[in-house]
Amino acid sequence: MKKVLALILTAVMVMGLLAACGGNSKNGGGDSGNSGNAAPSGDNQAGDTQSGGGKSAADVKIVLLLPGEINDQGWNASNYAGVVACNEQLGTSMEYVEAVQEADFESTFREYAERGYDIIMAAGSQFDEAASTVAASYPNTLFMVVNGSNFDGDNLCPLFPKEYEASYLAAVIAGHLTETGKFGMIGGDPNQAMKDLMAVYGKTAVEIAKERGIADASYNLAYSNSWSDIALGKQMSESMIDEGADVMFVYANELGLGVISGAQEKGAKVVGYSSDQTQIDPDTVVASIDFDYAAMYVWAISSWLHTKLTGHQIVEVGVAEDIYFPVYTDNCPEEAKTACNEAVIALREGSVDLKALFD
């Protein structure tokens, strides 16, 4: 069984990679990796990059730094889809670098800034401090951290996806899916954005379960402090399920595959998050909240090209901008689908105050 499961997970990741890459598994244009092939320019005279600088899409030099691999069926895959979409829809030659280690954050930012890149994007709040540190030395490069929060600079423009809206939709499904009222929740790292989305998920799921008559509903939240340890994810998942959880929720990149694997073996359900994880196993992952970060990236780069996006601000996007949407399987109860669809409408109308659920 374990061998079969491993083969299924591997096949799914490969198919996801091929679909996202459009046949090119290396990058979206230009070179990638650690970029040691080109000598630094020694200056940063790329023009007025805070407002497009009059450049055409093909001439703009953009790179995306990723903390993990693009075939993780989660965060990195969702952000990499933005590279593909920008290159296909806008005609850019956007590049990417996979699995940038924390110790290399500053040096990688600095390397691309030295080479005159117009925009350096990075996927994850863990890049925030390094971007802020390096940005001051390169005023002609725009630093754009997805999930970042530091905008104290004319060339700092974090994109902030309201992931708590996505976790709210996942919780609505989970609350109607559970039979025991016990929810297992695993996050990769306890940064503030993660804490907020987990608070929204846990409190919402428990409230719905109690409304359904499960008086002792509760959630068990743990952080793995890892985004890639699949074996650890499986271990944590199995432990929570043994303690009574019948619905699992995880946001931890590749580690999430281990969580899903544990749920498969233990017979629990999973509400997927950050990509369409129902394709892994629709009997286990009965619904998913997909992230259309491709649309977000196209919007952001297009806005910059048309001088509508500048630094010194946080740009928030969410359900109203069509970034998050549910994906259902035939194994998802109709009442869960109906409730989630109603929640989407409520978020679009602005009638739900999710920040009130933050800890």
Side-chain angles (χ1 to χ4, degrees):
M1 175 64 184
K2 292 182 179 179
K3 291 183 178 179
V4 172
L5 176 59
L7 289 172
I8 292 173
L9 292 177
T10 300
V12 166
M13 288 191 292
V14 170
M15 287 188 291
L17 174 59
L18 291 175
C21 293
N24 181 353
S25 63
K26 188 61 179 174
N27 63 22
D31 64 345
S32 70
N34 290 324
S35 304
N37 297 328
S41 65
D43 60 20
N44 188 25
Q45 305 301 316
D48 181 13
T49 59
Q50 305 317 308
S51 58
K55 290 189 174 185
S56 67
D59 293 331
V60 175
K61 299 175 72 174
I62 314 171
V63 65
L64 170 65
L65 312 185
L66 294 163
E69 306 290 340
I70 63 173
N71 62 350
D72 69 345
Q73 292 291 304
W75 173 254
N76 293 281
S78 296
N79 282 270
Y80 170 70
V83 175
V84 176
C86 285
N87 292 344
E88 291 181 348
Q89 298 179 35
L90 300 178
T92 57
S93 295
M94 190 173 179
E95 304 165 32
Y96 69 93
V97 185
E98 295 181 89
V100 180
Q101 301 302 303
E102 185 174 358
D104 299 323
F105 285 177
E106 283 194 26
S107 62
T108 307
F109 275 124
R110 198 173 301 279
E111 179 179 357
Y112 280 95
E114 283 285 338
R115 292 168 57 190
Y117 274 64
D118 299 295
I119 303 176
I120 303 175
M121 301 187 70
S125 59
Q126 60 266 53
F127 289 95
D128 215 22
E129 183 177 351
S132 301
T133 299
V134 175
S137 300
Y138 302 93
N140 290 325
T141 294
L142 185 66
F143 292 78
M144 192 179 295
V145 177
V146 179
N147 262 351
S149 58
N150 194 330
F151 60 99
D152 189 18
D154 290 338
N155 60 337
L156 287 171
C157 180
L159 287 177
F160 192 82
K162 293 182 281 188
E163 295 175 326
Y164 55 86
E165 291 189 345
S167 69
Y168 175 68
L169 297 181
V172 171
I173 295 172
H176 287 87
L177 188 63
T178 185
E179 295 179 2
T180 67
K182 306 300 181 185
F183 302 96
M185 302 159 53
I186 298 173
D189 180 69
N191 57 61
Q192 192 57 53
M194 181 71 76
K195 289 179 180 178
D196 291 343
L197 73 88
M198 286 294 180
V200 169
Y201 177 91
K203 293 176 183 179
T204 300
V206 166
E207 179 183 1
I208 292 173
K210 288 184 176 180
E211 290 175 352
R212 292 178 52 227
I214 308 176
D216 61 345
S218 63
Y219 65 83
N220 182 3
L221 169 62
Y223 293 102
S224 60
N225 294 310
S226 169
W227 298 88
S228 58
D229 191 337
I230 295 176
L232 175 60
K234 186 173 186 291
Q235 178 184 348
M236 294 177 71
S237 178
E238 290 176 338
S239 177
M240 287 187 175
I241 294 168
D242 286 342
E243 293 174 2
D246 67 340
V247 180
M248 294 298 301
F249 175 76
V250 57
Y251 192 19
N253 297 352
E254 293 98 328
L255 182 139
L257 295 176
V259 174
I260 294 172
S261 174
Q264 284 177 307
E265 294 195 7
K266 291 286 186 176
K269 302 300 182 184
V270 176
V271 179
Y273 190 75
S274 79
S275 66
D276 179 11
Q277 296 175 329
T278 63
Q279 60 183 303
I280 296 174
D281 178 9
D283 290 327
T284 299
V285 188
V286 301
S288 222
I289 307 303
D290 202 354
F291 288 17
D292 188 2
Y293 279 4
M296 179 182 71
Y297 274 75
V298 170
W299 173 85
I301 298 303
S302 179
S303 296
W304 178 83
L305 287 168
H306 292 88
T307 70
K308 296 178 181 180
L309 188 67
T310 61
H312 223 301
Q313 64 172 325
I314 296 179
V315 179
E316 293 190 332
V317 293
V319 169
E321 290 76 27
D322 296 318
I323 301 301
Y324 307 121
F325 54 93
V327 177
Y328 309 115
T329 70
D330 292 338
N331 299 311
C332 184
E334 288 301 321
E335 59 268 25
K337 297 178 184 179
T338 299
C340 187
N341 291 337
E342 291 174 349
V344 169
I345 294 172
L347 288 174
R348 288 185 181 279
E349 294 176 343
S351 61
V352 183
D353 180 15
L354 297 182
K355 290 185 178 180
L357 299 175
F358 292 177
D359 291 329

